[in-house]
Amino acid sequence: MATEFEIKPYPELWASLDMDVPRFDKARLMLGEAYAKTYLSQKKRPVGMAYFDNMIAEIHGGRIKELLAAKAEGRPVIGTFCVYIPEEIVLAAGGICVGLCGGSQGSVPDAEKILPRNICPMVKSAFGFKAGRICPYFQAVDFVYGETTCDAKKKTWEILDTMVPTYVMEIPQLKRQRDLDLWLAEVKDFKTKVEEVAGKTITETDLAAAVKIMNNKRKALQRLNSLRHHNPAPISGKDGLLIEQIAFYDEPVRFTKKVNALCDELEERIKAGVAVPTKNAIRVMVAGTPMALPNWKIHNLVEGAGAVIVNEESCIGTRYFKDLIDENATTMDNMLVALTDRYKEIDCSCFTPNDERITQVIKEFRDSKAQGIINYSLQFCHTYNIEEIRIRQACEREKIPYLFIESDYSAEDVGQLQTRIEAFLEQIGE
Amino acid sequence: MATEFEIKPYPELWASLDMDVPRFDKARLMLGEAYAKTYLSQKKRPVGMAYFDNMIAEIHGGRIKELLAAKAEGRPVIGTFCVYIPEEIVLAAGGICVGLCGGSQGSVPDAEKILPRNICPMVKSAFGFKAGRICPYFQAVDFVYGETTCDAKKKTWEILDTMVPTYVMEIPQLKRQRDLDLWLAEVKDFKTKVEEVAGKTITETDLAAAVKIMNNKRKALQRLNSLRHHNPAPISGKDGLLIEQIAFYDEPVRFTKKVNALCDELEERIKAGVAVPTKNAIRVMVAGTPMALPNWKIHNLVEGAGAVIVNEESCIGTRYFKDLIDENATTMDNMLVALTDRYKEIDCSCFTPNDERITQVIKEFRDSKAQGIINYSLQFCHTYNIEEIRIRQACEREKIPYLFIESDYSAEDVGQLQTRIEAFLEQIGE
């Protein structure tokens, strides 16, 4: 029962970006098909999702044109891989900060020609997208700003740098004052680099405006997340995740408006008792590593089994939007301190110790009225994989039904995962 | 053709350390057997190796008694996993700094009950030694001082800390001034912690003496390494590696004396034209991840095939001893700066970028008059595994015969490795 959907083709645009157009066009068709199957087959979707459907249709075309238009005006376009890179600074310089491709099995073989096989699929996928010239974002950015949040990324940037200029922000590994001092200096370096491309100095006014835009965006995502916590859920977990994924590509002011419009609709649905999907579906929260577009594997399986995902404790999820920047700081120095203070609240497993995350996972479980936690780790992600021990112990202590899944982007383990997920849901349902 | 050899049993001592004595005793017998087979079967060994043979015989007994005697006198006994932890500071406080167990497959299953399987075998082995109570060093230390040099170690310390007090030194990920400032502060924290256990403040005189002891130890190891570079090699690679491994357990002054005595003998052998093993053996250098005692897998295979290993570019190898501390600093602050300056020269792949290591590998290849490089990475070690790309490229550029091996502690890949190593040696010999 395929629904019509097409990711729009822009062959001339892609050719102008030195992409492998024939190959990318095939990937486009496959992604469109997967999207129709995963998303458009859903029943009783909020009408506000139409905007996000269209965003996917234009993700490799319309949005790329916007990036190139910005570049033509001398505005910086910066590609990033991590929620620790402060978008506010790029916005303040009049630029665009975008996520890069990294959520698809299709580019993994390109990476494995060079990189080791036994590293994170997200890192391999991202690297492969650049190596294969099959990601318009990689082709359009002025430079990439990586970070040191894990061994695989940190060392891969050295090799990526031979294909696209790649700078690195050092994220410290603890959060004492000496670490925050180093971090602040890194944020200032990032600002300098962005200003170089922009050919302008960021003023306090610029930064204040950017902080407000990003705070508003994060508030809209917080609002959406709260609405997903309503029982029964007014929107599917798949749609929730999609919006969190699109957050890394879309223009923030427009995106915020559309998320808020969707939230208005969801509030109406709650009032009217309209729920998606079936009432009494088992409510599951996902915690762990980010699910980059178009990684919908777990959501597909969980919601395909009749349950609903009501929260993503993830970088593509609450870690991206749970914290706001204090808007009261005035001088540039104080503003950058306030900004860094907000970023340090993101509780990535790259930190040691990382007790805050354990507490946060349990808090989100309670807030979301979930009935169980699926802890998801990308394969070979050492930090989340080992932190899993502490999350599991906390769930045991709190008597929270718990399932740990380590997976990659391939379809090989889908059958096995389906069995495990169904057994987990049954156990909760008993 | 087994030669008699026994790792001495100390069941009462082990029981007093709350060890799993029956299990450890079995491991002792197996290790003794492996040692006899690997080491005592070698022909024309230098007589100076007798000391190191005896050190192995006493490694779980006599040496442990020395540790406990120090503890009884209130001297700190600190366990470490990494060459970035400055032993000089422990020595200066009158204490003992020792490596911990971590080189054996035997303890890996203990770790895999808790830790993920797909992380570094050294980390799993070390953790398993503590979890299984089968390492007297783990049982004897006041505390463990870990570091943040890789994701697997960094996150494992959090779990290890529940079994033995484990502190963490943050090692930065770049080497700019701001990183060195943080590093110096970490070194000072370490000093404070060691002083707490020692119940005394380290003086400039204490530290100067300790620096001299460690510099002398490193010079002796440099001397040994230079002698190994003579063609034909006067000592086997297996024996060279063994001494580098024992360096992490033995008392430094005694060890230095014995290494120098061995070097005197090797100089005599060179003069007399006595070579071990066969003349015209193919000379191989090993680069990469450390080979912790009793990991002799690669050396066994390479030298079993008639070649000789003449250099280990590794933390258990040249990275441990290639750099000395400047002895001219006077005030405590300046002395600690000089110390940190020396430690920053260690070119672990945890740093990005790490160009110095690429240069160093090629330099050691030339210095050692090797004919090929075997780059060895422990399985799942992301940083060395990815840095492999740059080492390979450098070897291609320099036309150096090159073989990359990623392996764990199991015997499963021995047959396959033997085939690959023999093919590599044949290729060099052509």
PDB file of all heavy atoms in Angstrom, chain A residues 118 151 154-155 158 170 173 176 178-179 186 189 350 352 387 406, chain B residues 118 151 154-155 158 170 173 176 178-179 186 350 352 387 406:
ATOM      1  N   ASN A 118      35.452  -2.054  12.476  1.00  0.00           N
ATOM      2  CA  ASN A 118      34.877  -2.152  13.822  1.00  0.00           C
ATOM      3  C   ASN A 118      34.870  -0.832  14.581  1.00  0.00           C
ATOM      4  O   ASN A 118      35.290  -0.752  15.732  1.00  0.00           O
ATOM      5  CB  ASN A 118      35.543  -3.274  14.632  1.00  0.00           C
ATOM      6  CG  ASN A 118      37.046  -3.103  14.735  1.00  0.00           C
ATOM      7  OD1 ASN A 118      37.561  -2.045  14.400  1.00  0.00           O
ATOM      8  ND2 ASN A 118      37.734  -4.118  15.213  1.00  0.00           N
ATOM      9  N   ASP A 151      36.790   8.490  20.555  1.00  0.00           N
ATOM     10  CA  ASP A 151      38.029   8.109  19.877  1.00  0.00           C
ATOM     11  C   ASP A 151      37.824   7.997  18.366  1.00  0.00           C
ATOM     12  O   ASP A 151      38.667   8.449  17.586  1.00  0.00           O
ATOM     13  CB  ASP A 151      38.513   6.749  20.405  1.00  0.00           C
ATOM     14  CG  ASP A 151      39.003   6.827  21.844  1.00  0.00           C
ATOM     15  OD1 ASP A 151      39.255   7.949  22.321  1.00  0.00           O
ATOM     16  OD2 ASP A 151      39.122   5.764  22.475  1.00  0.00           O
ATOM     17  N   LYS A 154      37.306  11.530  16.818  1.00  0.00           N
ATOM     18  CA  LYS A 154      38.547  12.313  16.973  1.00  0.00           C
ATOM     19  C   LYS A 154      39.616  11.925  15.946  1.00  0.00           C
ATOM     20  O   LYS A 154      40.246  12.788  15.342  1.00  0.00           O
ATOM     21  CB  LYS A 154      39.072  12.102  18.392  1.00  0.00           C
ATOM     22  CG  LYS A 154      40.416  12.705  18.685  1.00  0.00           C
ATOM     23  CD  LYS A 154      40.746  12.645  20.185  1.00  0.00           C
ATOM     24  CE  LYS A 154      41.030  11.249  20.688  1.00  0.00           C
ATOM     25  NZ  LYS A 154      41.423  11.256  22.126  1.00  0.00           N
ATOM     26  N   LYS A 155      39.807  10.635  15.762  1.00  0.00           N
ATOM     27  CA  LYS A 155      40.856  10.195  14.851  1.00  0.00           C
ATOM     28  C   LYS A 155      40.402  10.227  13.392  1.00  0.00           C
ATOM     29  O   LYS A 155      41.236  10.377  12.481  1.00  0.00           O
ATOM     30  CB  LYS A 155      41.336   8.794  15.226  1.00  0.00           C
ATOM     31  CG  LYS A 155      41.993   8.709  16.591  1.00  0.00           C
ATOM     32  CD  LYS A 155      43.171   9.667  16.760  1.00  0.00           C
ATOM     33  CE  LYS A 155      44.434   9.175  16.095  1.00  0.00           C
ATOM     34  NZ  LYS A 155      45.581  10.113  16.402  1.00  0.00           N
ATOM     35  N   GLU A 158      41.067  13.487  11.351  1.00  0.00           N
ATOM     36  CA  GLU A 158      42.396  13.657  10.729  1.00  0.00           C
ATOM     37  C   GLU A 158      42.375  13.208   9.266  1.00  0.00           C
ATOM     38  O   GLU A 158      43.043  13.802   8.418  1.00  0.00           O
ATOM     39  CB  GLU A 158      43.450  12.838  11.489  1.00  0.00           C
ATOM     40  CG  GLU A 158      43.638  13.275  12.934  1.00  0.00           C
ATOM     41  CD  GLU A 158      44.566  12.338  13.715  1.00  0.00           C
ATOM     42  OE1 GLU A 158      45.272  11.524  13.084  1.00  0.00           O
ATOM     43  OE2 GLU A 158      44.568  12.411  14.954  1.00  0.00           O
ATOM     44  N   GLU A 170      38.112  20.802  21.074  1.00  0.00           N
ATOM     45  CA  GLU A 170      38.412  19.861  22.150  1.00  0.00           C
ATOM     46  C   GLU A 170      37.327  19.973  23.216  1.00  0.00           C
ATOM     47  O   GLU A 170      37.138  21.033  23.812  1.00  0.00           O
ATOM     48  CB  GLU A 170      39.784  20.141  22.764  1.00  0.00           C
ATOM     49  CG  GLU A 170      40.105  19.134  23.866  1.00  0.00           C
ATOM     50  CD  GLU A 170      41.535  19.210  24.379  1.00  0.00           C
ATOM     51  OE1 GLU A 170      42.218  20.217  24.113  1.00  0.00           O
ATOM     52  OE2 GLU A 170      41.958  18.256  25.056  1.00  0.00           O
ATOM     53  N   GLN A 173      37.060  16.027  29.262  1.00  0.00           N
ATOM     54  CA  GLN A 173      36.503  14.735  29.636  1.00  0.00           C
ATOM     55  C   GLN A 173      35.958  14.722  31.063  1.00  0.00           C
ATOM     56  O   GLN A 173      35.378  13.730  31.509  1.00  0.00           O
ATOM     57  CB  GLN A 173      37.576  13.663  29.423  1.00  0.00           C
ATOM     58  CG  GLN A 173      38.182  13.803  28.018  1.00  0.00           C
ATOM     59  CD  GLN A 173      39.212  12.765  27.677  1.00  0.00           C
ATOM     60  OE1 GLN A 173      38.892  11.598  27.509  1.00  0.00           O
ATOM     61  NE2 GLN A 173      40.466  13.177  27.591  1.00  0.00           N
ATOM     62  N   ARG A 176      35.290  19.973  35.706  1.00  0.00           N
ATOM     63  CA  ARG A 176      35.730  20.840  36.789  1.00  0.00           C
ATOM     64  C   ARG A 176      36.049  22.210  36.201  1.00  0.00           C
ATOM     65  O   ARG A 176      36.051  22.383  34.990  1.00  0.00           O
ATOM     66  CB  ARG A 176      36.957  20.223  37.464  1.00  0.00           C
ATOM     67  CG  ARG A 176      36.700  18.812  38.007  1.00  0.00           C
ATOM     68  CD  ARG A 176      37.942  17.980  37.952  1.00  0.00           C
ATOM     69  NE  ARG A 176      38.559  18.072  36.636  1.00  0.00           N
ATOM     70  CZ  ARG A 176      39.726  17.549  36.338  1.00  0.00           C
ATOM     71  NH1 ARG A 176      40.404  16.887  37.244  1.00  0.00           N
ATOM     72  NH2 ARG A 176      40.226  17.670  35.119  1.00  0.00           N
ATOM     73  N   ARG A 178      38.776  23.767  35.727  1.00  0.00           N
ATOM     74  CA  ARG A 178      39.878  23.806  34.747  1.00  0.00           C
ATOM     75  C   ARG A 178      39.431  23.289  33.380  1.00  0.00           C
ATOM     76  O   ARG A 178      39.929  23.722  32.352  1.00  0.00           O
ATOM     77  CB  ARG A 178      41.098  23.039  35.273  1.00  0.00           C
ATOM     78  CG  ARG A 178      41.024  21.533  35.226  1.00  0.00           C
ATOM     79  CD  ARG A 178      42.303  20.861  35.760  1.00  0.00           C
ATOM     80  NE  ARG A 178      42.523  21.170  37.155  1.00  0.00           N
ATOM     81  CZ  ARG A 178      42.904  20.274  38.074  1.00  0.00           C
ATOM     82  NH1 ARG A 178      43.154  19.027  37.745  1.00  0.00           N
ATOM     83  NH2 ARG A 178      43.074  20.634  39.327  1.00  0.00           N
ATOM     84  N   ASP A 179      38.461  22.364  33.401  1.00  0.00           N
ATOM     85  CA  ASP A 179      37.925  21.856  32.132  1.00  0.00           C
ATOM     86  C   ASP A 179      37.053  22.914  31.451  1.00  0.00           C
ATOM     87  O   ASP A 179      37.103  23.086  30.241  1.00  0.00           O
ATOM     88  CB  ASP A 179      37.098  20.601  32.394  1.00  0.00           C
ATOM     89  CG  ASP A 179      37.936  19.491  33.006  1.00  0.00           C
ATOM     90  OD1 ASP A 179      38.853  19.027  32.328  1.00  0.00           O
ATOM     91  OD2 ASP A 179      37.682  19.125  34.169  1.00  0.00           O
ATOM     92  N   GLU A 186      38.024  27.048  23.786  1.00  0.00           N
ATOM     93  CA  GLU A 186      37.688  26.353  22.536  1.00  0.00           C
ATOM     94  C   GLU A 186      36.511  27.028  21.835  1.00  0.00           C
ATOM     95  O   GLU A 186      36.481  27.155  20.609  1.00  0.00           O
ATOM     96  CB  GLU A 186      37.312  24.891  22.836  1.00  0.00           C
ATOM     97  CG  GLU A 186      38.445  24.062  23.406  1.00  0.00           C
ATOM     98  CD  GLU A 186      39.527  23.795  22.391  1.00  0.00           C
ATOM     99  OE1 GLU A 186      39.188  23.405  21.259  1.00  0.00           O
ATOM    100  OE2 GLU A 186      40.711  23.992  22.715  1.00  0.00           O
ATOM    101  N   ASP A 189      37.747  30.056  20.153  1.00  0.00           N
ATOM    102  CA  ASP A 189      38.434  29.699  18.894  1.00  0.00           C
ATOM    103  C   ASP A 189      37.418  29.450  17.782  1.00  0.00           C
ATOM    104  O   ASP A 189      37.636  29.828  16.629  1.00  0.00           O
ATOM    105  CB  ASP A 189      39.252  28.414  19.069  1.00  0.00           C
ATOM    106  CG  ASP A 189      40.568  28.662  19.771  1.00  0.00           C
ATOM    107  OD1 ASP A 189      40.865  29.835  20.092  1.00  0.00           O
ATOM    108  OD2 ASP A 189      41.302  27.681  20.014  1.00  0.00           O
ATOM    109  N   CYS A 350      30.713  10.706  27.004  1.00  0.00           N
ATOM    110  CA  CYS A 350      32.156  10.955  26.872  1.00  0.00           C
ATOM    111  C   CYS A 350      32.726  11.528  28.169  1.00  0.00           C
ATOM    112  O   CYS A 350      33.937  11.524  28.349  1.00  0.00           O
ATOM    113  CB  CYS A 350      32.456  11.866  25.689  1.00  0.00           C
ATOM    114  SG  CYS A 350      31.860  13.550  25.853  1.00  0.00           S
ATOM    115  N   THR A 352      33.457  11.641  32.266  1.00  0.00           N
ATOM    116  CA  THR A 352      33.629  10.706  33.380  1.00  0.00           C
ATOM    117  C   THR A 352      33.877  11.486  34.653  1.00  0.00           C
ATOM    118  O   THR A 352      34.731  12.367  34.657  1.00  0.00           O
ATOM    119  CB  THR A 352      34.762   9.702  33.105  1.00  0.00           C
ATOM    120  OG1 THR A 352      34.766   8.753  34.183  1.00  0.00           O
ATOM    121  CG2 THR A 352      36.144  10.353  32.997  1.00  0.00           C
ATOM    122  N   GLU A 387      28.737   2.757  29.566  1.00  0.00           N
ATOM    123  CA  GLU A 387      27.793   3.450  30.460  1.00  0.00           C
ATOM    124  C   GLU A 387      26.491   2.654  30.593  1.00  0.00           C
ATOM    125  O   GLU A 387      25.742   2.821  31.565  1.00  0.00           O
ATOM    126  CB  GLU A 387      27.509   4.865  29.950  1.00  0.00           C
ATOM    127  CG  GLU A 387      26.866   5.750  31.000  1.00  0.00           C
ATOM    128  CD  GLU A 387      27.168   7.221  30.783  1.00  0.00           C
ATOM    129  OE1 GLU A 387      28.302   7.647  31.081  1.00  0.00           O
ATOM    130  OE2 GLU A 387      26.288   7.940  30.288  1.00  0.00           O
ATOM    131  N   GLU A 406      22.313  -3.178  21.023  1.00  0.00           N
ATOM    132  CA  GLU A 406      23.469  -2.627  20.314  1.00  0.00           C
ATOM    133  C   GLU A 406      23.293  -3.004  18.858  1.00  0.00           C
ATOM    134  O   GLU A 406      23.125  -4.176  18.528  1.00  0.00           O
ATOM    135  CB  GLU A 406      24.765  -3.210  20.866  1.00  0.00           C
ATOM    136  CG  GLU A 406      25.989  -2.598  20.195  1.00  0.00           C
ATOM    137  CD  GLU A 406      27.331  -3.139  20.699  1.00  0.00           C
ATOM    138  OE1 GLU A 406      27.317  -3.942  21.644  1.00  0.00           O
ATOM    139  OE2 GLU A 406      28.356  -2.753  20.120  1.00  0.00           O
TER     140      GLU A 406
ATOM    141  N   ASN B 118      33.024  -6.146  22.858  1.00  0.00           N
ATOM    142  CA  ASN B 118      33.770  -5.520  21.766  1.00  0.00           C
ATOM    143  C   ASN B 118      34.554  -4.280  22.194  1.00  0.00           C
ATOM    144  O   ASN B 118      34.477  -3.231  21.558  1.00  0.00           O
ATOM    145  CB  ASN B 118      32.857  -5.231  20.567  1.00  0.00           C
ATOM    146  CG  ASN B 118      31.678  -4.369  20.941  1.00  0.00           C
ATOM    147  OD1 ASN B 118      31.647  -3.820  22.033  1.00  0.00           O
ATOM    148  ND2 ASN B 118      30.716  -4.237  20.048  1.00  0.00           N
ATOM    149  N   ASP B 151      38.484   5.797  25.229  1.00  0.00           N
ATOM    150  CA  ASP B 151      37.096   5.684  25.678  1.00  0.00           C
ATOM    151  C   ASP B 151      36.895   4.462  26.564  1.00  0.00           C
ATOM    152  O   ASP B 151      36.216   4.526  27.595  1.00  0.00           O
ATOM    153  CB  ASP B 151      36.171   5.562  24.468  1.00  0.00           C
ATOM    154  CG  ASP B 151      36.091   6.854  23.668  1.00  0.00           C
ATOM    155  OD1 ASP B 151      36.501   7.906  24.205  1.00  0.00           O
ATOM    156  OD2 ASP B 151      35.623   6.814  22.512  1.00  0.00           O
ATOM    157  N   LYS B 154      38.642   4.990  30.002  1.00  0.00           N
ATOM    158  CA  LYS B 154      37.983   6.087  30.724  1.00  0.00           C
ATOM    159  C   LYS B 154      36.673   5.648  31.366  1.00  0.00           C
ATOM    160  O   LYS B 154      36.393   5.967  32.522  1.00  0.00           O
ATOM    161  CB  LYS B 154      37.725   7.229  29.729  1.00  0.00           C
ATOM    162  CG  LYS B 154      36.917   8.383  30.259  1.00  0.00           C
ATOM    163  CD  LYS B 154      36.934   9.575  29.289  1.00  0.00           C
ATOM    164  CE  LYS B 154      36.141   9.329  28.013  1.00  0.00           C
ATOM    165  NZ  LYS B 154      36.122  10.515  27.131  1.00  0.00           N
ATOM    166  N   LYS B 155      35.861   4.922  30.616  1.00  0.00           N
ATOM    167  CA  LYS B 155      34.549   4.522  31.146  1.00  0.00           C
ATOM    168  C   LYS B 155      34.652   3.295  32.043  1.00  0.00           C
ATOM    169  O   LYS B 155      33.811   3.103  32.936  1.00  0.00           O
ATOM    170  CB  LYS B 155      33.562   4.284  30.000  1.00  0.00           C
ATOM    171  CG  LYS B 155      33.268   5.523  29.162  1.00  0.00           C
ATOM    172  CD  LYS B 155      32.734   6.684  29.972  1.00  0.00           C
ATOM    173  CE  LYS B 155      31.282   6.540  30.347  1.00  0.00           C
ATOM    174  NZ  LYS B 155      30.774   7.768  31.050  1.00  0.00           N
ATOM    175  N   GLU B 158      35.137   3.883  35.875  1.00  0.00           N
ATOM    176  CA  GLU B 158      33.946   4.148  36.699  1.00  0.00           C
ATOM    177  C   GLU B 158      33.447   2.861  37.357  1.00  0.00           C
ATOM    178  O   GLU B 158      32.969   2.868  38.486  1.00  0.00           O
ATOM    179  CB  GLU B 158      32.824   4.738  35.832  1.00  0.00           C
ATOM    180  CG  GLU B 158      33.172   6.085  35.216  1.00  0.00           C
ATOM    181  CD  GLU B 158      32.114   6.564  34.216  1.00  0.00           C
ATOM    182  OE1 GLU B 158      30.991   6.014  34.217  1.00  0.00           O
ATOM    183  OE2 GLU B 158      32.413   7.488  33.439  1.00  0.00           O
ATOM    184  N   GLU B 170      43.158  13.297  33.933  1.00  0.00           N
ATOM    185  CA  GLU B 170      42.699  13.696  32.602  1.00  0.00           C
ATOM    186  C   GLU B 170      43.912  14.018  31.735  1.00  0.00           C
ATOM    187  O   GLU B 170      44.682  14.921  32.047  1.00  0.00           O
ATOM    188  CB  GLU B 170      41.781  14.921  32.672  1.00  0.00           C
ATOM    189  CG  GLU B 170      41.256  15.304  31.295  1.00  0.00           C
ATOM    190  CD  GLU B 170      40.188  16.388  31.311  1.00  0.00           C
ATOM    191  OE1 GLU B 170      40.028  17.056  32.341  1.00  0.00           O
ATOM    192  OE2 GLU B 170      39.512  16.550  30.277  1.00  0.00           O
ATOM    193  N   GLN B 173      43.615  16.109  24.822  1.00  0.00           N
ATOM    194  CA  GLN B 173      43.570  15.434  23.533  1.00  0.00           C
ATOM    195  C   GLN B 173      44.345  16.179  22.452  1.00  0.00           C
ATOM    196  O   GLN B 173      44.479  15.704  21.332  1.00  0.00           O
ATOM    197  CB  GLN B 173      42.097  15.227  23.140  1.00  0.00           C
ATOM    198  CG  GLN B 173      41.354  14.541  24.291  1.00  0.00           C
ATOM    199  CD  GLN B 173      39.904  14.262  24.018  1.00  0.00           C
ATOM    200  OE1 GLN B 173      39.583  13.376  23.237  1.00  0.00           O
ATOM    201  NE2 GLN B 173      39.015  15.012  24.631  1.00  0.00           N
ATOM    202  N   ARG B 176      48.352  21.937  22.931  1.00  0.00           N
ATOM    203  CA  ARG B 176      48.610  23.369  22.913  1.00  0.00           C
ATOM    204  C   ARG B 176      48.844  23.834  24.355  1.00  0.00           C
ATOM    205  O   ARG B 176      48.654  23.071  25.302  1.00  0.00           O
ATOM    206  CB  ARG B 176      47.423  24.099  22.292  1.00  0.00           C
ATOM    207  CG  ARG B 176      47.109  23.607  20.868  1.00  0.00           C
ATOM    208  CD  ARG B 176      45.643  23.735  20.581  1.00  0.00           C
ATOM    209  NE  ARG B 176      44.871  23.140  21.667  1.00  0.00           N
ATOM    210  CZ  ARG B 176      43.560  23.184  21.750  1.00  0.00           C
ATOM    211  NH1 ARG B 176      42.871  23.797  20.820  1.00  0.00           N
ATOM    212  NH2 ARG B 176      42.939  22.620  22.762  1.00  0.00           N
ATOM    213  N   ARG B 178      47.095  25.579  26.363  1.00  0.00           N
ATOM    214  CA  ARG B 178      45.956  25.412  27.281  1.00  0.00           C
ATOM    215  C   ARG B 178      45.814  23.954  27.732  1.00  0.00           C
ATOM    216  O   ARG B 178      45.376  23.680  28.837  1.00  0.00           O
ATOM    217  CB  ARG B 178      44.657  25.935  26.641  1.00  0.00           C
ATOM    218  CG  ARG B 178      44.024  25.081  25.600  1.00  0.00           C
ATOM    219  CD  ARG B 178      42.733  25.691  25.033  1.00  0.00           C
ATOM    220  NE  ARG B 178      43.002  26.959  24.372  1.00  0.00           N
ATOM    221  CZ  ARG B 178      42.466  27.324  23.192  1.00  0.00           C
ATOM    222  NH1 ARG B 178      41.593  26.547  22.575  1.00  0.00           N
ATOM    223  NH2 ARG B 178      42.752  28.482  22.655  1.00  0.00           N
ATOM    224  N   ASP B 179      46.223  23.048  26.857  1.00  0.00           N
ATOM    225  CA  ASP B 179      46.173  21.624  27.220  1.00  0.00           C
ATOM    226  C   ASP B 179      47.267  21.291  28.236  1.00  0.00           C
ATOM    227  O   ASP B 179      47.042  20.543  29.183  1.00  0.00           O
ATOM    228  CB  ASP B 179      46.358  20.757  25.975  1.00  0.00           C
ATOM    229  CG  ASP B 179      45.262  21.005  24.950  1.00  0.00           C
ATOM    230  OD1 ASP B 179      44.109  20.707  25.261  1.00  0.00           O
ATOM    231  OD2 ASP B 179      45.573  21.523  23.864  1.00  0.00           O
ATOM    232  N   GLU B 186      46.712  18.487  36.529  1.00  0.00           N
ATOM    233  CA  GLU B 186      46.405  17.073  36.795  1.00  0.00           C
ATOM    234  C   GLU B 186      47.580  16.389  37.491  1.00  0.00           C
ATOM    235  O   GLU B 186      47.390  15.563  38.388  1.00  0.00           O
ATOM    236  CB  GLU B 186      46.108  16.344  35.478  1.00  0.00           C
ATOM    237  CG  GLU B 186      44.877  16.844  34.750  1.00  0.00           C
ATOM    238  CD  GLU B 186      43.604  16.467  35.467  1.00  0.00           C
ATOM    239  OE1 GLU B 186      43.479  15.307  35.874  1.00  0.00           O
ATOM    240  OE2 GLU B 186      42.752  17.350  35.639  1.00  0.00           O
ATOM    241  N   CYS B 350      46.135   8.742  21.183  1.00  0.00           N
ATOM    242  CA  CYS B 350      44.984   9.446  21.754  1.00  0.00           C
ATOM    243  C   CYS B 350      45.035  10.935  21.418  1.00  0.00           C
ATOM    244  O   CYS B 350      44.032  11.626  21.553  1.00  0.00           O
ATOM    245  CB  CYS B 350      44.883   9.225  23.265  1.00  0.00           C
ATOM    246  SG  CYS B 350      46.212   9.965  24.231  1.00  0.00           S
ATOM    247  N   THR B 352      45.335  14.236  18.905  1.00  0.00           N
ATOM    248  CA  THR B 352      45.001  14.606  17.540  1.00  0.00           C
ATOM    249  C   THR B 352      45.419  16.045  17.289  1.00  0.00           C
ATOM    250  O   THR B 352      45.101  16.907  18.112  1.00  0.00           O
ATOM    251  CB  THR B 352      43.501  14.418  17.253  1.00  0.00           C
ATOM    252  OG1 THR B 352      43.286  14.669  15.867  1.00  0.00           O
ATOM    253  CG2 THR B 352      42.603  15.347  18.059  1.00  0.00           C
ATOM    254  N   GLU B 387      44.712   5.435  13.392  1.00  0.00           N
ATOM    255  CA  GLU B 387      46.030   6.003  13.086  1.00  0.00           C
ATOM    256  C   GLU B 387      46.818   5.069  12.153  1.00  0.00           C
ATOM    257  O   GLU B 387      47.747   5.504  11.462  1.00  0.00           O
ATOM    258  CB  GLU B 387      46.815   6.263  14.378  1.00  0.00           C
ATOM    259  CG  GLU B 387      48.008   7.158  14.168  1.00  0.00           C
ATOM    260  CD  GLU B 387      48.386   7.927  15.426  1.00  0.00           C
ATOM    261  OE1 GLU B 387      47.679   8.897  15.761  1.00  0.00           O
ATOM    262  OE2 GLU B 387      49.366   7.539  16.072  1.00  0.00           O
ATOM    263  N   GLU B 406      45.651  -6.754  13.530  1.00  0.00           N
ATOM    264  CA  GLU B 406      44.768  -6.421  14.646  1.00  0.00           C
ATOM    265  C   GLU B 406      44.430  -7.746  15.318  1.00  0.00           C
ATOM    266  O   GLU B 406      43.953  -8.668  14.663  1.00  0.00           O
ATOM    267  CB  GLU B 406      43.494  -5.733  14.142  1.00  0.00           C
ATOM    268  CG  GLU B 406      42.589  -5.321  15.296  1.00  0.00           C
ATOM    269  CD  GLU B 406      41.301  -4.632  14.844  1.00  0.00           C
ATOM    270  OE1 GLU B 406      41.137  -4.391  13.634  1.00  0.00           O
ATOM    271  OE2 GLU B 406      40.460  -4.365  15.720  1.00  0.00           O
TER     272      GLU B 406
END
